[in-house]
């Protein structure tokens, strides 16, 4: 606010000599030309960014994994709008409140391994993007358990890209700019377990970019979706640490076949399917036989409220016990674990998502409220998994089971 001194009365009154003293008062006046300019923060300078970047989804959530670290998982859409071929050299993740502090850094092989074509093309082997080309970049990094997570993340790109106006159209010059904000929320859903018992292993779990689920983005309903971002294939190993005992081609040789699948929370059934036949284990079915309608096999989708939906896939034929519109309670049996749809062995595929479409939604992180970690698997030799088990399983509260973690529910 600015103060201005003005005389009381009209100009003519103040100019006449009538023996009266001229009085002045001070009162506030908004001087837009000066005061507002002084009060407003300086606007950042515009920057030419021939490579444009945006997050695939507007926000992400840090989730505590069984390794004791906070995991952040999301995707960036990168498009080269410049005429010269662009080369991505380094991508750094920083907090908007402290951009000088680098939270994660990707370069070399680690950068290339996280690049994907917009479609289902061959593996990316180089960091170059041609004119009008688009890449998806799969972000995954961790912070210590007690680290403060910024409310907004930014991404600093070091790259070669088209120069300013007037530059040769095919000439790329070194550039650095910080762009692509993504909000980080704190709303992590707490669920119960989807199965019961000991020795359940999280196969194809989070969070490496090369994982079957994490690395799969599908173009559905006009958008690219990573519905399986946090999906897990739950398989129960036998006492000999094998996923089957006897004939590999017989579903009954698998210890987890027929296990009860249960509700992870109270909810409402919004979709079911229970009429598909079991697949023969040992290999995936012929891709020509797979459609959007049968790829997930017999399944159940639960509406948990607040735009969160639980998805259970590959259930046994005619085993689903609930119907659309039915209200279920946490722990209630929904069906039996099977081997239907796009499956090579009996298992329960489970993930949480933000919509009813099992493929056309965004996968959400979650934690399981209570379980014990028995150990983790480290590799498979001749069908038998090597182990790193503790004699005393570690009790856990509100954590997300990571890939190859063996848990007791």
């Amino acid at each position: 606010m600015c103060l201005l001194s003005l005389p009381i009365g009209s100009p003519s009154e103040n100019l006449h000599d009538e023996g009266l003293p001229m009085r002045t008062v001070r009162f506030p006046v908004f001087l837009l030309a000066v005061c507002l300019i002084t009060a407003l923060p300086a606007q950042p300078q515009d920057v030419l960014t021939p490579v444009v970047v945006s997050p695939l989804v507007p926000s992400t959530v840090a989730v505590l994994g069984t390794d004791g670290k906070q995991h952040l998982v999301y995707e960036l859409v990168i498009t080269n709008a410049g005429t010269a071929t662009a080369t991505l050299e380094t991508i750094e993740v920083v907090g908007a409140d402290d951009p000088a502090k680098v939270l994660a850094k990707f370069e070399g092989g680690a950068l290339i391994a996280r690049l994907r074509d917009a479609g289902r093309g061959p593996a990316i082997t180089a960091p170059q993007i041609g004119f009008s080309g688009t890449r998806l970049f799969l972000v995954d990094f961790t912070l210590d358990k007690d680290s403060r997570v910024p409310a907004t993340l930014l991404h600093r790109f070091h790259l070669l890209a088209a120069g300013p106006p007037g530059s040769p159209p095919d000439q790329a010059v070194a550039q650095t700019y910080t762009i692509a904000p993504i909000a980080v929320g704190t709303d992590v859903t707490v669920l119960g377990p989807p199965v019961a018992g000991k020795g359940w292993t999280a196969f194809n779990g989070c969070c490496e970019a090369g994982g079957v689920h994490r690395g799969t983005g599908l173009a559905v309903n006009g958008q690219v979706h990573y519905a399986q971002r946090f999906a897990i294939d739950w398989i129960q190993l036998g006492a000999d640490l094998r996923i089957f005992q006897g004939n590999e081609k017989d579903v009954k040789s698998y210890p987890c076949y027929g296990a009860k699948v249960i509700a992870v929370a109270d909810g409402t059934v919004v979709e079911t399917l229970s009429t598909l036949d079991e697949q023969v284990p040992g290999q995936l079915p012929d891709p020509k036989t797979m459609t959007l309608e049968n790829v997930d096999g017999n399944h159940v989708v639960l509406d948990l409220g607040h735009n969160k939906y639980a998805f259970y896939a590959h259930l046994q034929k005619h085993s689903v016990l609930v119907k659309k519109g039915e209200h279920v309670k946490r722990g209630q049996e929904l069906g039996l674990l099977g081997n239907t749809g796009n499956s090579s062995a009996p298992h329960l595929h489970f993930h949480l998502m933000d919509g009813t479409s099992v493929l056309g939604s965004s996968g959400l992180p979650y934690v399981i409220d209570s379980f014990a970690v028995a150990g983790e698997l480290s590799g498979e030799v001749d069908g038998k998994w090597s182990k790193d088990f503790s004699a005393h399983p570690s009790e856990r509260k509100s954590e997300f089971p990571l890939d190859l973690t063996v848990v007791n529910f």
Side-chain angles (χ1 to χ4, degrees), residues 111-124:
L111 188 155
I112 294 172
R114 289 169 170 80
L115 286 174
R116 298 290 185 275
D117 275 319
R120 307 191 72 178
I124 301 296

Side-chain angles (χ1 to χ4, degrees), residues 150-176:
T152 302
L153 298 174
L154 299 172
H155 303 85
R156 181 176 299 122
F157 279 71
H158 301 270
L159 70 164
L160 301 175
S167 301
D170 59 348
Q171 178 180 323
V173 298
Q175 303 180 40
T176 296

Side-chain angles (χ1 to χ4, degrees), residues 127-274:
Q128 281 76 34
I129 307 176
F131 172 55
S132 291
T134 295
R135 297 285 187 272
L136 290 164
F137 184 74
L138 310 188
V139 182
D140 63 275
F141 67 97
T142 62
L143 298 175
D144 291 338
K145 181 178 181 179
D146 298 324
S147 295
R148 184 187 64 83
V149 181
T152 302
L153 298 174
L154 299 172
H155 303 85
R156 181 176 299 122
F157 279 71
H158 301 270
L159 70 164
L160 301 175
S167 301
D170 59 348
Q171 178 180 323
V173 298
Q175 303 180 40
T176 296
Y177 41 80
T178 304
I179 50 177
I182 184 170
V184 182
T186 58
D187 181 21
V188 180
T189 304
V190 180
L191 302 176
V195 288
K198 297 182 178 181
W200 288 97
T201 305
F203 282 92
N204 298 322
C206 192
C207 299
E208 295 295 328
V212 172
H213 292 140
R214 171 67 188 105
T216 301
L218 295 175
V220 180
N221 300 331
Q223 292 181 289
V224 174
H225 297 276
Y226 280 80
Q228 304 176 88
R229 192 179 285 120
F230 295 95
I232 292 176
D233 287 338
W234 287 108
I235 299 178
Q236 192 175 33
L237 297 180
D240 60 355
L241 298 183
R242 295 179 184 272
I243 66 173
F244 67 91
Q245 298 167 325
N247 182 6
E248 181 185 10
K249 300 293 185 180
D250 184 356
V251 291
K252 296 180 181 178
S253 298
Y254 295 75
C256 62
Y257 183 75
K260 294 180 179 179
V261 172
I262 58 179
V264 294
D266 295 353
T268 303
V269 179
V270 295
E271 184 179 325
T272 67
L273 181 64
S274 191

